[in-house]
Amino acid sequence: MLQTVWVSSPGRWTLREPACHCGGKQTRWKCRFVRTIIQHPCRRHATKRPGKVRMLKKIQICLCFFFVSGILYEISLLSGCYFSYVPMSKHFLTPEQVLNLGKSIIFLETTERLEPPPLVSCSVESAARIYQDRPIILFMKGLTNDTALDLNSSYTAFSLLSSMKNVFIFPLQMETVFQETPLLQWYNQVVPEQEKNWVHVSSDASRLALIWKYGGIYMDTDVISIRPIPEESFLAAQKSRFSSNGIFGFPAHHKFIWDCMENFVLKYNGNIWGNQGPFLMTRMLKTICNLTDFKGTEDHRCQNISFLNPQRFYPIPYPAWGRYYQVWDKSPNFNHSYALHLWNFMNHNRKAVVAGSNTLAEKLYKAYCPTTYEDLIRNAELRDFTRSED
C-alpha cells in the first residue's frame, strides 16, 4: 500500500516489497506454504512394491502441481492488492517511480503553504477513497530540501494525508517537471515575480507536463470525488462549448496535451486569467472538434476524446457556487456526477465548512472525506472550544 512520509530530501521515498496482506486480511499462511515448498520439496517415498511406487509418484506429482498452482494463483491475487509502500532506510522511491505505476490521480499546490486547508484535504482524501487501487499524488511547491515533515508533523492536514495508504506527497520541482517538454524554454525565460497570476499559470503548465509525461487524471484541489470516472481521455465541460482545465485525464504522450503545451508557449499571456487554462483547452478542442450545445446529460465525443457533460463535475455552476455552503431543504443526489467542483476561486469571503451547520458542503465532507471532517472540522472546533474555556 502507498504511504508517504517526508524525510530529508525532496522527491525520495522508500520502497518495501508487498507484505502478505490483501484487503486488510492477513495471508501469512500463504507465505508459510511458499517457504514450506522451498524448504521441503515433495519427497520420494521408498516402497517395496513397484506398482504402488508409481501410483504414489503420480499422486504426489498431481498434488504438488495443484498445490503450486494454488500458491501461484494466490500470489497473483496479491499483486492486485493495494499498494504496499512504506518507509525504510534503503532503495528510495522517487516521484517518477510512483508516476510510472500509471493511472495516477494528480493534485497540485503551487503556493508555498505546507498546511493543506480542509478543502484540499477533503479533495485528496475523497480521491484516495474512490480510487483505492491508484496512487494519489499531491505535489507541493512548499516542500524543499530543508523541509522535514513526517506523520507526527505539527501540520495536522499534512499528517492526516500522509497516513493514507495510497497517498503520496512530493515536492513540486517545476524545472524537473518541464524537462523534455515545450514548456521548459518558457519556464527558463519567465520571471515569476513579474507575473500577475503566477500561482495559477504555473499550475496550468505543471498539470499539462505531468499528464503528458505520465498520464492519469489531474484534479483541482477543490474537487470532491464521489464515484470513479470511467473515461481515460476526457475533458470536462464547464458549460456548452467551453472546457475547464480543473479536471481532465489522458494517457501518457497524448498528442492533444502536447499540442496544448505548444499553444501555451505560442499564445502565452500571463496577464489574462485563464488564458493558459480553460481558454487554452477550449481553443485547442475547437481546432479538432465541432462543439455543439449539450442536450440533457449526454456526453460528446470527438476523435478519441470525450467531452464530458457539465453535470459530471459542475452540476452547480460557478455563479451559484455559494449554494454549496447553504442549507438545502432536500439535498441533491448528484446521480449524474463523478466529482463536484466547489469553485474555491470564487470563495473570496472564505466560507468554510462548520460542524453542525447542515450545509451541503458539510454533508459532502461527512460522506466522502469523513477523516478530514472528523480531524480538521469537528475535532478542531472542539479543541478551539477547550482552549477558550481555559
Side-chain angles (χ1 to χ4, degrees):
M1 299 182 179
L2 283 176
Q3 177 175 330
T4 60
V5 176
W6 186 248
V7 285
S8 59
S9 60
R12 303 182 70 81
W13 300 88
T14 52
L15 173 65
R16 184 181 74 180
E17 292 181 358
C20 294
H21 294 262
C22 184
K25 298 181 180 178
Q26 293 187 343
T27 55
R28 292 176 181 169
W29 61 273
K30 299 166 189 167
C31 297
R32 289 199 297 269
F33 280 173
V34 173
R35 287 196 293 269
T36 300
I37 292 175
I38 295 173
Q39 295 171 3
H40 306 288
C42 300
R43 298 170 180 168
R44 295 183 180 181
H45 297 273
T47 178
K48 295 180 180 179
R49 299 182 181 180
K52 288 186 176 181
V53 170
R54 287 193 296 271
M55 183 178 295
L56 285 172
K57 284 183 179 179
K58 290 180 180 180
I59 293 174
Q60 209 167 26
I61 290 171
C62 290
L63 288 175
C64 285
F65 173 79
F66 287 118
F67 185 76
V68 172
S69 298
I71 294 298
L72 292 175
Y73 174 73
E74 294 292 345
I75 291 173
S76 72
L77 290 180
L78 287 176
S79 66
C81 295
Y82 303 149
F83 299 96
S84 184
Y85 298 103
V86 297
M88 60 184 292
S89 59
K90 300 179 182 178
H91 309 301
F92 293 109
L93 183 63
T94 66
E96 289 74 19
Q97 288 173 310
V98 179
L99 288 161
N100 282 328
L101 293 172
K103 296 188 175 181
S104 299
I105 311 295
I106 297 173
F107 295 90
L108 295 173
E109 175 58 75
T110 52
T111 70
E112 297 292 337
R113 66 186 176 193
L114 290 174
E115 173 68 342
L119 182 53
V120 174
S121 179
C122 184
S123 296
V124 175
E125 179 187 346
S126 66
R129 290 177 178 274
I130 295 297
Y131 302 95
Q132 296 185 24
D133 59 343
R134 300 172 71 162
I136 313 299
I137 306 175
L138 172 61
F139 285 98
M140 300 182 71
K141 185 176 180 293
L143 293 180
T144 67
N145 287 330
D146 299 324
T147 307
L149 299 173
D150 57 28
L151 293 179
N152 298 317
S153 167
S154 59
Y155 297 106
T156 306
F158 189 97
S159 300
L160 183 155
L161 294 176
S162 297
S163 68
M164 296 177 186
K165 294 177 179 179
N166 60 330
V167 172
F168 277 124
I169 303 178
F170 288 135
L172 177 60
Q173 299 173 321
M174 294 186 189
E175 186 171 358
T176 300
V177 168
F178 297 143
Q179 292 292 331
E180 301 178 359
T181 76
L183 297 169
L184 182 60
Q185 182 179 2
W186 160 81
Y187 180 73
N188 288 333
Q189 294 175 350
V190 74
V191 181
E193 294 77 14
Q194 298 178 2
E195 290 292 321
K196 179 181 178 181
N197 299 298
W198 179 246
V199 168
H200 303 290
V201 168
S202 60
S203 178
D204 292 335
S206 298
R207 67 189 71 176
L208 289 172
L210 286 166
I211 295 299
W212 157 256
K213 285 185 171 182
Y214 304 105
I217 295 175
Y218 167 81
M219 292 185 183
D220 276 351
T221 52
D222 57 351
V223 172
I224 298 178
S225 297
I226 62 176
R227 57 177 57 88
I229 302 169
E231 305 288 343
E232 184 179 21
S233 301
F234 71 89
L235 293 172
Q238 184 174 314
K239 59 182 180 180
S240 289
R241 309 187 192 207
F242 189 81
S243 176
S244 79
N245 75 327
I247 180 168
F248 61 93
F250 286 90
H253 301 152
H254 196 285
K255 184 179 183 301
F256 180 81
I257 298 298
W258 181 267
D259 292 342
C260 285
M261 290 190 292
E262 289 187 327
N263 190 268
F264 183 105
V265 177
L266 182 65
K267 301 289 186 180
Y268 183 72
N269 186 338
N271 292 322
I272 301 176
W273 186 91
N275 187 63
Q276 321 313 133
F279 292 107
L280 166 67
M281 292 295 202
T282 301
R283 64 178 176 260
M284 294 307 297
L285 188 61
K286 286 181 176 179
T287 64
I288 60 173
C289 302
N290 180 24
L291 301 182
T292 59
D293 291 342
F294 287 98
K295 297 179 180 178
T297 58
E298 66 177 7
D299 297 321
H300 291 175
R301 190 165 182 84
C302 177
Q303 296 187 18
N304 63 345
I305 301 173
S306 294
F307 190 38
L308 300 184
N309 193 287
Q311 288 294 316
R312 305 302 181 207
F313 307 104
Y314 303 102
I316 297 179
Y318 79 88
W321 69 270
R323 300 196 67 190
Y324 280 113
Y325 297 94
Q326 295 175 358
V327 177
W328 292 51
D329 293 333
K330 183 179 179 182
S331 297
N333 53 36
F334 299 116
N335 286 339
H336 300 294
S337 301
Y338 303 132
L340 304 172
H341 195 289
L342 268 61
W343 303 107
N344 193 53
F345 179 74
M346 302 293 296
N347 191 1
H348 303 300
N349 295 326
R350 293 290 173 245
K351 292 185 178 181
V353 171
V354 177
S357 62
N358 203 34
T359 61
L360 177 57
E362 183 191 19
K363 291 181 179 180
L364 294 174
Y365 274 50
K366 286 181 176 180
Y368 301 108
C369 55
T371 304
T372 294
Y373 179 77
E374 287 295 319
D375 288 5
L376 301 187
I377 305 297
R378 197 170 69 86
N379 289 347
E381 292 184 1
L382 290 175
R383 287 192 295 270
D384 291 341
F385 177 77
T386 303
R387 291 194 193 100
S388 65
E389 290 293 306
D390 295 339

